[in-house]
Amino acid sequence: MVHAGIAGATGYGGVELFRLLANHKDINSISLYSSSEAGSPYASLMPQLSEWFSDELKPIETERMKEELDVLFLVTPAGVSRDLTPLFQGSGVKVIDLSGDLRLQNPADYEKWYKKPPAPGQLLDEAVYGLSETNGEKIREADILANPGCYPTAVLLGLAPLADSGLLEKKSLIIDAKSGISGAGKSPNEKTIYTNTEENFRVYKVNEHQHIPEIEQQLKRWSGRSEAVSFTPHLVPMTRGIMATMYVDVSLHEHPESWMDLYRTFYANSPFVRVRDEFPATKDVYGSNFCDMHVELDERTGRLTIVSVIDNLVKGASGQAIQNMNIMLGFEETRGLKLFPLYP
Amino acid sequence: MVHAGIAGATGYGGVELFRLLANHKDINSISLYSSSEAGSPYASLMPQLSEWFSDELKPIETERMKEELDVLFLVTPAGVSRDLTPLFQGSGVKVIDLSGDLRLQNPADYEKWYKKPPAPGQLLDEAVYGLSETNGEKIREADILANPGCYPTAVLLGLAPLADSGLLEKKSLIIDAKSGISGAGKSPNEKTIYTNTEENFRVYKVNEHQHIPEIEQQLKRWSGRSEAVSFTPHLVPMTRGIMATMYVDVSLHEHPESWMDLYRTFYANSPFVRVRDEFPATKDVYGSNFCDMHVELDERTGRLTIVSVIDNLVKGASGQAIQNMNIMLGFEETRGLKLFPLYP
Amino acid sequence: MVHAGIAGATGYGGVELFRLLANHKDINSISLYSSSEAGSPYASLMPQLSEWFSDELKPIETERMKEELDVLFLVTPAGVSRDLTPLFQGSGVKVIDLSGDLRLQNPADYEKWYKKPPAPGQLLDEAVYGLSETNGEKIREADILANPGCYPTAVLLGLAPLADSGLLEKKSLIIDAKSGISGAGKSPNEKTIYTNTEENFRVYKVNEHQHIPEIEQQLKRWSGRSEAVSFTPHLVPMTRGIMATMYVDVSLHEHPESWMDLYRTFYANSPFVRVRDEFPATKDVYGSNFCDMHVELDERTGRLTIVSVIDNLVKGASGQAIQNMNIMLGFEETRGLKLFPLYP
Amino acid sequence: MVHAGIAGATGYGGVELFRLLANHKDINSISLYSSSEAGSPYASLMPQLSEWFSDELKPIETERMKEELDVLFLVTPAGVSRDLTPLFQGSGVKVIDLSGDLRLQNPADYEKWYKKPPAPGQLLDEAVYGLSETNGEKIREADILANPGCYPTAVLLGLAPLADSGLLEKKSLIIDAKSGISGAGKSPNEKTIYTNTEENFRVYKVNEHQHIPEIEQQLKRWSGRSEAVSFTPHLVPMTRGIMATMYVDVSLHEHPESWMDLYRTFYANSPFVRVRDEFPATKDVYGSNFCDMHVELDERTGRLTIVSVIDNLVKGASGQAIQNMNIMLGFEETRGLKLFPLYP
């Protein structure tokens, strides 16, 4: 009997988490929590979710939550998890945090990039970074999990085979990333209004995005690489999907096929990573937990181009959170996530 | 051990059927058939479906299919099922036809609206029209099922409560329907090219669409109504979704609430119909088998406005086909279809 | 030397007006006014308009405006023109109001549908309704012009040939209208956010839209018709464009061709109305001042289907306002508006 | 009396050229030519262009064209201009070629990247490369003009201030480019079908695009730079617009402001280049001949990020062709092009 809770169930990440957990065979019941909407039936706020779930949102009362829950997902704005997670330490409730609060181990990095007070160092030390494909052993034993950001998921999965082989050290690394609009959340503003988004392609937060230190931290852990990366996020007129196009200068003159072999071998046992024969498109993974990727060496420039795609709300957030829960609770890794992409 | 087959698995309806059946607990195996692509691995044609399914497409060999299959879905162009279905009569294989071949009981109607030779009368007599919510008893005993068209599904579900109460007889009925582009299929042409579709809203086949006789036939069955209906389909710059906006002149002066009661009562036991407090939008059902609807009387004109929405590829095609299969094979009606809409 | 002013130059209608006036040969200078943004350079608020226009927005000071201007466009929210227009009466400045304040001659209608206090009756009496194609003589002599709403423009142009021939009297009339999102204005909210709009088709204000009395008033003026109309507006996931699909029961049994002749004859001298051989699509008029239309009789139902399309920001607002100015000031009617639609 | 001709008037570039030329004050008449559609009224093929232009398409008869025309635009597929242009050499008709046939001075480059036989070397020698902002003097005297490709226009304008200052020599240069779908032309195929494009972001021809040698050739002309560039084009789900995001490693440690100064000074007299205070978006130039750009140095990586945007059909094709014609014929450079972008 596993009871899962979601705090922040009305944002895009929370709804996606609910949608996926509702079909997870090993989850027996789901409770939804909200500070602002407690008492309202979930289906009245989310008409598309009516039928089959008639519960009200519950208030965030930590004592009761500790009694009820086995696992708690925090899909809350920056700054909430920092205060809420410590209340569950030692309670036996596994906490999976989808916010950025627990991802950066160095509190100074959080302050610099998020411009908010960081979580306590002891909490940051305990939190395990949950890039499922590469940190499985630690995730298995984690009580507190920092679920990766959407961009870092696409980027790091695309770079892991290189980093793991020591091929990223001292290399120039440029990441040109593109995301659908759902990444900007559900609050309407000048950047998310339809008329300013449709037939428009924008660039934002050039070299200033808070996912930069998360990417650099992990590259350093893997390979000791300490160089800064260039990271340019763009907004695509579509709802879901991220593509990361990455450029790495390589010195060795291996044959292109071998790069693909490197990737295929690295991900041979990863059910959600598909190393593809062709460069993938974002719709190839729409609504699914897959990360598709392809890599090619350009002989003219001696430069690798790596392209990886994910659905930012699934593999880039809620899907990966469930994948991590599966690992933490000893379920089959694909449980609840064996979904093909929507087509078309 | 239930073995399902899909003929025509590479079109939009076929892929959607595969996607949904792949997560259906009571289906043990799936075979895919194609006349043109037999021998190719399905995942090589549909890269988004790679992983978890490595079978090749099989040729359409009816003798072997009769041995293997318990149920066969035909997702084939007009004119195919007419010839193929008779080969399975009496074989024990349940046939569910998603094309229009078996929907019109009067062969002359088929000839007139489809402009092709009709199926044999005996076959048309045996085929049961599968509007799941209103024809359950006959569907339960059907061996050959004619799955409704996408527009007729949205339209007829929106009108059934009225027709059932005799309220549609001799009434003016106007249906203004809007569909996403996936309804036009996957062959690229001037009408489906992106640049001619995005930022464009079009009307087509005004009073000439082949779904008109299907709608009129069912209204006549229900209520003896024999008046022609006005039906105007439009193309919306989006991939999935149908909205039918329907106008019925009513003479009786009942209070608006009672219209909603009529609808709520009629669909009290229908798990996929949601009679909503507000007019629904197509995205409320995106990727799901729901049909959402709302009705209001305009006191100024004495006219009812009924709006119903479906995902044309799910409730309007493959989802309803599975719902019908569930009824035909005695499975729980919602099996494999208990999916919430994607949001956003 | 003609000097034009725009009050409300930062909304969608105001920007479009500026864009078009900037290329109008008979307009020598343009002043832009704003109550909230006075003092800011226009190009700093609207970066896409930088280059070629470096003026600041001016405050709304009526005395100075009377001295400077020959014509003033009001592109202001409901309730503003009601108070502002009277200050220009008798000043020699022609006022063209793009808001709904002066469109309804009966103050009670305004109160009922706009839910605000109406303009003074004397002002409503003086204001001329500016449906350019059908009211030219009065427009020529108008000092105060009420520019039609976007929906009424598409609807009334589509119905004028019928109304003018007395064919609409006592007829059932149903208007199913579809608009792009720019019609909802530039303030971001839950209805205009991209993620809730893309891949979504919605219906709103069913039988409650404030354009209904405007349509009914004009139909009554033309033909004495006093029946209420059914009007259902929808939102299409696109930025610009309106299509009105209209249904009229007709009793006479004329041959379809004659309906087209009726339309062609009626609009023979209207440079912006194109009576087309086929039903038009919204993109056929994108960015232009055209209204395209087509009409067909359905022999089965004895019902006419009339479809008209406009660009809601051009013919449905700023373009028609300029067309009216051209008529009022004695310029060539097409001056500044001889623009082909963008394609694709 | 200037008479302009367009060969290939039914493709996207040709229609845009006609749309813009139709409002060009110094062009007195326009003739349209087509090999396949000669004899058809243009407006019957392009219903959105009916009204105001009733001419038929003429056959491509070079003798008659030489008599009639002052300037001829070729908007023809690769391989046509190569054969057609020589027939006009010495005729007094200025030829502006929008295809890629005359852009690469080295025939071997054309063969390698276009995979077709190249134009004669003498023709390539005579053709002037028409990047209007940087090659004005030669354009002024040109009889045969090679109009730049869409991507090279955005890329080269973004790099010209650096190249001109010698700052690109021996530098790593990565170009990550994004284009709307209209760049793929009007023939429907699997890549341009709506359902495969909407909600999809794709990458294509990685390091294989035929615009690569065009970019490299011009960089070499400017600065002697001979290093290969990385160029990755992507397809954005929108119709118009190109953004080029470019990365250049810089060694000198100048203050960021100075980079902007370099750009502002370089383009001080270029009416269509707007060096902006913020990174631009593609919609900022929609439907206009502007190229907007911004540049920033990242102190962490010592790398410049340059972003430039254009409308691929205007500045990236037909608009720049008219700008070049203006220069060649001695008209005001902005004539016929002083159009603000559409908004929204």
Side-chain angles (χ1 to χ4, degrees), chain C residues 28-338:
Chain C
N28 306 87
S29 61
I30 303 174
S31 291
L32 307 181
Y33 304 92
S34 168
S35 45
S36 56
E37 308 273 12
S40 300
Y42 192 47
S44 73
L45 300 170
M46 303 280 146
Q48 85 279 11
L49 298 178
S50 64
E51 206 80 24
W52 306 325
F53 190 81
S54 53
D55 289 10
E56 294 176 1
L57 292 170
K58 302 177 180 177
I60 296 186
E61 298 172 351
T62 52
E63 288 314 308
R64 179 174 295 191
M65 291 163 83
K66 285 188 213 173
E67 285 166 28
E68 289 176 347
L69 299 178
D70 298 291
V71 58
L72 171 61
F73 295 90
L74 301 179
V75 203
T76 43
V80 173
S81 158
R82 181 191 61 205
D83 296 335
L84 202 55
T85 304
L87 306 179
F88 290 88
Q89 279 182 298
S91 70
V93 180
K94 305 271 186 184
V95 174
I96 298 176
D97 178 23
L98 282 83
S99 85
D101 279 17
L102 311 182
R103 292 179 196 151
L104 301 180
Q105 203 159 7
N106 181 349
D109 283 345
Y110 186 88
E111 272 191 290
K112 176 182 169 189
W113 293 88
Y114 283 81
K115 296 177 176 52
K116 297 202 173 196
Q122 180 268 342
L123 182 60
L124 296 177
D125 286 345
E126 190 179 342
V128 170
Y129 188 68
L131 191 69
S132 317
E133 276 71 18
T134 67
N135 212 12
E137 282 177 45
K138 287 199 174 162
I139 295 169
R140 215 178 316 278
E141 295 170 9
D143 289 319
I144 297 175
L145 188 125
N147 208 57
C150 52
Y151 285 124
T153 296
V155 167
L156 292 170
L157 289 177
L159 296 176
L162 298 179
D164 183 69
S165 308
L167 295 167
L168 274 187
E169 283 178 64
K170 304 203 181 303
K171 297 288 169 50
S172 163
L173 173 53
I174 289 173
I175 302 160
D176 194 283
K178 300 88 177 174
S179 173
I181 308 298
S182 61
K186 70 182 285 195
S187 65
N189 60 52
E190 206 184 45
K191 294 288 180 198
T192 58
I193 190 172
Y194 183 83
T195 41
N196 197 22
T197 298
E198 190 242 7
E199 273 290 298
N200 202 4
F201 184 84
R202 287 175 290 179
V203 58
Y204 71 109
K205 285 196 180 180
V206 177
N207 292 316
E208 290 175 7
H209 199 284
Q210 69 276 12
H211 286 168
I212 293 174
E214 185 178 339
I215 292 166
E216 291 177 346
Q217 165 182 279
Q218 190 59 32
L219 293 181
K220 189 167 188 179
R221 280 179 185 157
W222 278 336
S223 63
R225 188 185 194 280
S226 60
E227 289 80 14
V229 305
S230 287
F231 179 78
T232 313
H234 301 76
L235 284 175
V236 185
M238 62 186 192
T239 294
R240 289 167 177 244
I242 282 181
M243 178 182 285
T245 311
M246 297 175 275
Y247 303 91
V248 180
D249 291 324
V250 291
S251 36
L252 27 171
H253 288 291
E254 287 137 318
H255 191 265
E257 269 86 336
S258 72
W259 294 102
M260 286 294 286
D261 284 350
L262 179 76
Y263 273 70
R264 288 218 175 84
T265 305
F266 188 86
Y267 285 121
N269 298 312
S270 296
F272 295 115
V273 176
R274 302 190 292 196
V275 180
R276 300 261 306 274
D277 293 339
E278 311 267 340
F279 284 109
T282 62
K283 207 164 183 173
D284 295 346
V285 299
Y286 192 89
S288 82
N289 199 49
F290 287 118
C291 176
D292 284 14
M293 63 183 68
H294 180 73
V295 56
E296 271 186 22
L297 176 69
D298 182 22
E299 304 273 2
R300 296 173 67 251
T301 57
R303 191 172 282 146
L304 280 183
T305 306
I306 306 134
V307 171
S308 67
V309 297
I310 59 170
D311 182 320
N312 57 309
L313 294 177
V314 189
K315 183 61 178 169
S318 304
Q320 184 161 237
I322 292 174
Q323 189 180 354
N324 284 326
M325 178 195 75
N326 287 341
I327 299 172
M328 291 163 79
L329 299 184
F331 301 152
E332 195 184 348
E333 188 173 342
T334 57
R335 188 56 54 87
L337 297 170
K338 227 166 163 174

